[in-house]
C-alpha cells in the first residue's frame, strides 16, 4: 500500500511543477509563499493560545487572592500591599503621560450637549481654538498622545500585530503582481491556441489561490484583533484614570462641564475610534504600498510617460475630490454627541423614574426625548443629503474616469511605438516557429494580448488602490472626529486628577469670579487624629467657569477630637451635608485649611441608600 500511494504523489508533484514552469512562475516562489503562510498561521495560533493561557492564569490568581483575603487577615494584608504597588505604578504612568494631554487641544464643540454648545457660541472665543474634524496639526498631536496608550512600546503585543499585518499586506501586493502576470500569460496561451500551456496556467492560478485566500482572511482577522487590542488598552487606561483615588469620576460629573455623558465616550466612542484606527492602517497602508509597487510594474509595461500621466491625473482628481469632500470628521463627532444626548435623556428617566412619577412629569420627559431624537434624525438626514453629491462625483472619477484613462495608457505603447512592437513580434514568431507549436502565426496577437492584459490588470489594481485611498479620505475625516472626542475625555480626566479645572473666558486672573474652581487657594491634610477646619468657607461649586460658586457657610473654624460627638442641625439647604462634602474631598477647599485622619480611619455615609 505505501508503494501504491507514493506514485500518485510524485505524479501530482511533477504536474504542479510543470504547471508552474509553463505559466512562467518558479516553483520555489509558490513554495516559499505557502511556507510563509503556514509559518504565520502557526505563529498566530501560538500567540492566541499564549494569550488565553495568561488570561486564565490571571483570573485564577485573582480568585485565589480574593479567597485567601477573605479567609485570613495575613493574606488580606499581602493582597492590599500588591494593590498599592499596582496603584503606585499607575500613578507614575499618569504623571508621565499627563504632559502629552494638554487641555488646550480639547474641542468643547465635540463634547458638550446642544444647550451648552449654543451658550458657549454666544461667549467670546479665545484665539487658536481647536475644531474637531480637521486634518491639522492638532489632530496629529492628539493621535500621538493616544498612541502612547494603545502602543506603549515596540515590544508590545499591538506592535507585533501591526508587524504581522504589514507582512500580510506586502504578501498580498506581491501575489497581486503575480496574478497580473499570470493573467496575461493565460490569455496569450488562449489566443495562440496552446491548450496544454493554457491548462498549466489554470493549475498555477489555483495554486496561487491558496495563499491568496489565506492572506486575505488573515488581513481581516488581524485588523479585528488589532481593534480589540487597542480598545482593551484604551478602556483599561480610562477606567484606571476615571475610577482613581482622586475622585476623578465625581469631579467629571459634578464639578466640570467639558465632557457631557462620559458613558457615551467610554462605551461607544472608544470602540469606534479603535475600529476606525485599525481599519485605517489597512485601508490606507495597503493602497499606498500597492500604488508604489504597481507604479514600478507599470513603468516596465507602458513606459515612464504613461505612468507620469496616470500620476498627474490621480493628483488632479484627488484635489478635486478633496475640495468637494464634506467635513465628515465634524459630522461624525456631532452625531456621536447627539447620540450621547439621546442616550442620557433615557438614562435620566430610568434613574429618576419615581420622582418623575410623583411629579407627573411624563409629558415633559417625552418632550425632551422627542426633541433629542429629532435633533439626531435631522443631523442624520443632513449627512445623507451631503453625501449624495460626494458619492456621485467619487464614483464618476474612480470607477469610470480612471478606467477610461487606464485603457488609453495601455493602448498607447502599441500605437506610439510600432517598431518596438514589430521587433518583439518577430522574436515571438521565431520562438513559436522553432517550438513548432500550434498558433505560431498568431505571435503578434498573442504578444499584444499578453502585454495589454497584464498592463490592464496592473492598471485595474492601481486604480483600485487609488480609489481606496480616495475612500480613505472620508475614513480619515471620521477618524479625526472620534480622535478629538477620545482625546478630550482623557485630557479632561488628567486635568481633574491634578485638580485643574476649566478656566474662565477672560485672560486676567484678577477678573475671575469669586469662588471660581480655577483659583483654589485652600489645602487638605491627612495628618491629625481628629477633624479641624480653619477659616474654610463652605461653597457649592459651579460647573460654569464664568460663574462663581455659591457661599453657603461663612469661613468656618471647627475642631472635633476623637471621642467627641457632634450633631449639625438646621433647615434644608444651609450646608449641613456640604460640610461633609468638603471634609471628604468631594468639594474643593477654596481657602483655609482642612485637616482629617487617614481615609482608612474615617467613613462617610451618603444621604441616598447605595449598599
Amino acid at each position: 500500500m505505501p508503494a501504491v500511494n507514493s506514485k500518485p504523489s510524485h505524479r501530482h508533484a511533477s504536474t504542479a511543477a510543470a504547471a508552474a514552469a509553463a505559466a512562467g512562475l518558479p516553483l520555489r516562489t509558490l513554495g516559499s509563499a505557502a511556507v510563509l503562510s503556514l509559518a504565520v498561521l502557526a505563529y498566530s495560533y501560538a500567540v492566541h493560545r499564549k494569550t488565553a493561557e495568561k488570561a486564565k492564569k490571571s483570573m485564577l490568581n485573582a480568585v485565589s487572592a480574593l479567597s485567601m483575603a477573605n479567609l485570613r487577615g495575613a493574606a488580606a494584608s499581602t493582597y492590599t500591599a500588591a494593590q498599592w504597588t499596582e496603584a503606585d505604578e499607575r500613578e507614575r504612568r499618569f504623571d508621565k503621560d499627563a504632559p502629552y494631554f494638554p487641555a488646550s487641544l480639547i474641542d468643547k464643540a465635540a463634547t458638550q450637549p446642544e444647550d451648552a454648545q449654543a451658550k458657549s457660541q454666544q461667549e467670546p472665543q479665545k484665539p487658536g481654538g481647536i475644531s474637531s474634524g480637521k486634518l491639522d496639526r492638532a489632530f496629529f498631536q492628539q493621535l500621538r498622545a493616544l498612541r502612547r496608550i494603545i502602543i506603549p512600546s515596540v515590544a508590545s503585543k499591538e506592535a507585533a500585530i501591526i508587524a504581522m499585518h504589514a507582512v500580510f499586506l506586502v504578501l498580498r501586493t506581491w501575489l497581486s503582481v503575480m496574478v497580473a502576470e499570470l493573467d496575461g500569460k493565460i490569455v496569450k496561451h488562449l489566443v495562440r491556441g496552446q491548450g496544454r500551456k493554457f491548462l498549466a496556467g489554470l493549475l498555477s492560478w489555483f495554486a496561487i489561490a491558496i495563499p491568496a485566500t489565506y492572506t486575505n482572511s488573515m488581513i481581516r482577522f488581524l485588523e479585528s484583533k488589532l481593534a480589540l487590542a487597542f480598545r482593551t488598552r484604551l478602556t483599561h487606561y480610562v477606567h484606571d484614570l476615571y475610577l482613581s483615588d482622586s475622585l476623578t469620576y465625581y469631579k467629571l460629573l459634578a464639578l466640570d462641564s467639558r465632557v457631557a455623558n462620559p458613558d457615551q465616550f467610554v462605551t461607544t466612542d472608544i470602540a469606534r475610534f479603535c475600529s476606525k484606527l485599525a481599519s485605517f492602517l489597512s485601508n490606507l497602508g495597503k493602497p499606498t504600498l500597492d500604488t508604489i509597487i504597481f507604479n514600478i510594474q507599470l513603468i516596465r509595461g507602458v513606459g515612464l510617460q504613461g505612468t507620469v500621466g496616470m500620476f498627474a491625473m490621480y493628483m488632479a482628481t484627488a484635489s478635486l475630490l478633496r475640495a468637494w469632500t464634506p467635513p465628515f470628521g465634524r459630522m461624525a463627532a456631532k452625531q456621536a454627541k447627539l447620540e450621547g444626548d439621546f442616550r442620557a435623556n433615557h438614562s435620566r428617566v430610568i434613574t429618576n423614574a419615581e420622582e418623575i412619577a410623583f411629579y407627573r412629569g411624563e409629558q415633559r420627559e417625552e418632550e425632551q426625548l422627542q426633541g433629542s431624537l429629532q435633533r439626531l434624525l435631522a443631523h442624520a438626514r443632513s449627512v445623507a443629503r451631503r453625501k449624495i453629491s460626494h458619492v456621485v462625483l467619487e464614483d464618476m472619477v474612480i470607477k469610470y474616469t480612471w478606467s477610461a484613462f487606464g485603457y488609453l495608457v495601455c493602448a498607447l505603447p502599441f500605437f506610439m511605438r510600432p517598431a518596438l512592437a514589430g521587433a518583439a513580434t518577430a522574436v515571438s514568431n521565431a520562438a513559436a516557429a522553432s517550438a513548432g507549436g500550434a498558433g505560431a502565426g498568431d505571435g503578434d496577437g498573442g504578444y499584444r494580448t499578453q502585454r495589454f492584459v497584464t498592463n490592464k490588470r496592473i492598471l485595474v489594481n492601481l486604480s483600485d488602490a487609488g480609489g481606496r485611498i480616495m475612500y480613505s479620505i472620508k475614513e480619515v475625516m471620521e477618524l479625526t472626529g472620534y480622535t478629538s472626542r477620545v482625546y478630550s475625555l482623557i485630557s479632561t480626566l488628567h486635568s481633574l486628577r491634578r485638580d485643574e479645572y476649566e478656566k474662565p473666558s477672560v485672560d486676567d486672573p484678577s477678573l475671575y469670579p469669586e469662588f471660581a474652581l480655577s483659583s483654589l487657594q485652600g489645602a487638605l491634610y491627612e495628618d491629625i487624629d481628629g477633624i479641624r477646619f480653619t477659616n474654610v468657607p463652605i461653597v457649592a461649586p459651579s460647573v460654569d467657569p464664568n460663574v462663581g460658586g455659591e457661599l453657603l457657610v461663612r469661613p468656618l473654624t471647627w475642631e472635633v477630637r476623637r471621642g467627641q460627638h457632634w450633631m449639625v442641625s438646621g433647615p434644608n439647604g444651609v450646608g449641613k451635608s456640604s460640610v461633609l462634602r468638603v471634609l471628604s474631598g468631594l468639594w474643593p477647599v477654596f481657602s483655609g485649611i482642612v485637616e482629617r485622619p487617614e481615609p482608612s480611619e474615617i467613613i462617610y455615609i451618603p444621604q441616598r441608600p447605595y449598599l
Side-chain angles (χ1 to χ4, degrees):
M1 293 299 294
V4 175
N5 290 333
S6 62
K7 291 183 179 180
S9 63
H10 286 294
R11 185 181 299 113
H12 289 308
S14 61
T15 303
L25 297 174
L27 184 61
R28 182 180 302 174
T29 301
L30 297 177
S32 61
V35 171
L36 179 60
S37 302
L38 293 177
V40 175
L41 177 62
Y43 177 76
S44 303
Y45 175 77
V47 171
H48 177 72
R49 183 68 177 271
K50 184 177 180 181
T51 304
E53 291 178 355
K54 289 175 62 178
K56 182 178 179 181
K57 184 177 180 180
S58 300
M59 182 64 69
L60 292 177
N61 290 339
V63 172
S64 176
L66 288 174
S67 301
M68 294 299 292
N70 292 329
L71 291 176
R72 294 199 302 258
S77 62
T78 303
Y79 184 71
T80 304
Q83 281 185 322
W84 277 110
T85 303
E86 184 179 355
D88 292 341
E89 292 179 357
R90 288 199 301 264
E91 293 298 323
R92 285 194 295 268
R93 183 183 181 187
F94 291 155
D95 292 336
K96 188 177 180 181
D97 292 343
Y100 293 90
F101 290 90
S104 59
L105 295 179
I106 295 178
D107 176 32
K108 295 179 62 176
T111 58
Q112 290 184 340
E114 285 292 313
D115 51 354
Q117 182 181 354
K119 183 178 179 180
S120 62
Q121 290 176 354
Q122 299 175 359
E123 299 174 354
Q125 299 293 327
K126 295 182 180 181
I130 304 301
S131 178
S132 62
K134 292 185 178 180
L135 194 64
D136 52 8
R137 182 180 179 183
F139 164 71
F140 290 105
Q141 291 178 346
Q142 294 171 351
L143 195 62
R144 175 172 171 263
L146 295 175
R147 193 273 309 163
R148 292 178 55 86
I149 303 174
I150 59 179
I151 309 177
S153 64
V154 181
S156 62
K157 180 181 68 175
E158 292 77 11
I161 296 176
I162 293 176
M164 292 175 59
H165 197 202
V167 170
F168 277 103
L169 291 178
V170 174
L171 180 61
R172 182 69 185 90
T173 304
W174 175 63
L175 289 174
S176 299
V177 175
M178 292 180 60
V179 168
E181 295 178 355
L182 181 59
D183 194 9
K185 292 179 180 180
I186 290 176
V187 176
K188 179 185 70 174
H189 299 325
L190 178 63
V191 172
R192 290 181 176 179
Q194 298 170 339
R196 297 185 61 181
K197 292 185 177 181
F198 175 77
L199 294 177
L202 289 181
L203 291 177
S204 299
W205 183 281
F206 282 108
I208 294 178
I210 297 175
T213 53
Y214 173 74
T215 300
N216 292 332
S217 300
M218 285 300 299
I219 289 175
R220 291 190 291 268
F221 167 74
L222 291 175
E223 180 180 327
S224 302
K225 191 176 182 63
L226 185 61
L228 291 176
F230 284 166
R231 185 181 182 183
T232 300
R233 282 199 183 272
L234 200 55
T235 305
H236 286 171
Y237 187 92
V238 171
H239 283 174
D240 292 338
L241 192 58
Y242 183 63
L243 298 171
S244 64
D245 295 336
S246 303
L247 304 179
T248 312
Y249 60 94
Y250 180 83
K251 298 174 184 177
L252 182 67
L253 296 172
L255 304 180
D256 196 89
S257 62
R258 282 174 288 183
V259 174
N261 310 319
D263 55 335
Q264 170 78 12
F265 284 75
V266 178
T267 60
T268 304
D269 292 334
I270 287 180
R272 291 177 177 174
F273 165 75
C274 296
S275 178
K276 289 290 183 182
L277 183 60
S279 62
F280 167 75
L281 297 176
S282 177
N283 294 339
L284 188 62
K286 184 181 184 303
T288 303
L289 180 64
D290 289 349
T291 302
I292 297 174
I293 295 179
F294 289 144
N295 272 316
I296 295 175
Q297 296 293 325
L298 197 61
I299 292 175
R300 299 175 181 176
V302 300
L304 182 61
Q305 295 83 358
T307 305
V308 172
M310 288 290 296
F311 182 76
M313 190 269 297
Y314 285 162
M315 295 300 296
T317 53
S319 300
L320 175 63
L321 289 176
R322 179 67 182 87
W324 195 261
T325 301
F328 289 112
R330 194 178 308 163
M331 293 178 180
K334 185 176 181 180
Q335 179 154 352
K337 176 169 57 64
L338 292 176
E339 289 177 354
D341 296 343
F342 183 58
R343 178 177 178 176
N345 288 332
H346 274 281
S347 299
R348 188 181 65 250
V349 174
I350 296 174
T351 305
N352 305 303
E354 183 175 343
E355 289 78 5
I356 295 173
F358 272 126
Y359 287 119
R360 293 296 188 265
E362 301 86 2
Q363 183 176 359
R364 176 58 180 165
E365 293 297 329
E366 183 180 3
E367 291 176 358
Q368 293 188 359
L369 289 174
Q370 294 294 347
S372 60
L373 176 62
Q374 291 301 322
R375 287 192 293 270
L376 176 60
L377 295 179
H379 177 72
R381 296 190 189 99
S382 175
V383 172
R385 286 194 298 268
R386 299 191 68 176
K387 281 185 176 180
I388 293 177
S389 58
H390 177 263
V391 171
V392 170
L393 179 62
E394 196 174 45
D395 289 346
M396 183 65 186
V397 169
I398 295 175
K399 293 183 178 179
Y400 298 100
T401 304
W402 287 4
S403 298
F405 198 83
Y407 278 113
L408 178 63
V409 171
C410 289
L412 281 179
F414 302 102
F415 297 107
M416 303 299 295
R417 294 182 293 177
L420 179 61
T425 300
V427 173
S428 177
N429 287 333
S434 62
D442 295 332
D444 181 33
Y447 169 75
R448 289 175 179 267
T449 303
Q450 177 187 355
R451 286 195 59 189
F452 182 82
V453 171
T454 301
N455 294 337
K456 175 180 174 295
R457 184 85 180 198
I458 293 177
L459 274 172
V460 168
N461 292 333
L462 184 60
S463 299
D464 180 65
R468 279 178 290 159
I469 292 177
M470 294 297 103
Y471 290 131
S472 297
I473 294 177
K474 180 174 63 178
E475 300 291 332
V476 171
M477 299 308 294
E478 293 181 359
L479 176 63
T480 59
Y482 294 123
T483 302
S484 176
R485 286 178 62 85
V486 174
Y487 175 88
S488 299
L489 172 65
I490 298 178
S491 178
T492 303
L493 292 177
H494 274 292
S495 299
L496 296 178
R497 173 179 166 269
R498 303 188 303 270
D499 290 330
E500 296 177 359
Y501 297 91
E502 186 179 5
K503 294 182 179 180
S505 56
V506 294
D507 296 329
D508 189 0
S510 61
L511 300 179
Y512 285 0
E514 187 179 10
F515 301 126
L517 287 171
S518 57
S519 57
L520 300 177
Q521 300 177 358
L524 177 64
Y525 300 103
E526 299 173 350
D527 56 354
I528 67 171
D529 189 17
I531 298 173
R532 183 184 300 149
F533 283 72
T534 305
N535 294 325
V536 178
I538 307 302
V539 179
S542 172
V543 297
D544 190 347
N546 298 305
V547 178
E550 179 184 0
L551 179 64
L552 301 178
V553 179
R554 290 191 296 267
L556 174 67
T557 299
W558 177 42
E559 184 176 2
V560 180
R561 296 185 177 90
R562 180 180 292 273
Q564 291 183 342
H565 303 277
W566 282 80
M567 175 180 291
V568 182
S569 62
N572 293 333
V574 298
K576 303 184 302 297
S577 301
S578 301
V579 174
L580 290 182
R581 293 189 180 99
V582 174
L583 176 63
S584 62
L586 299 184
W587 286 3
V589 182
F590 285 88
S591 63
I593 299 175
V594 175
E595 298 171 277
R596 69 183 185 186
E598 293 289 335
S600 60
E601 299 180 5
I602 186 171
I603 185 172
Y604 311 93
I605 301 177
Q607 292 178 330
R608 296 174 58 183
Y610 177 68
L611 298 178

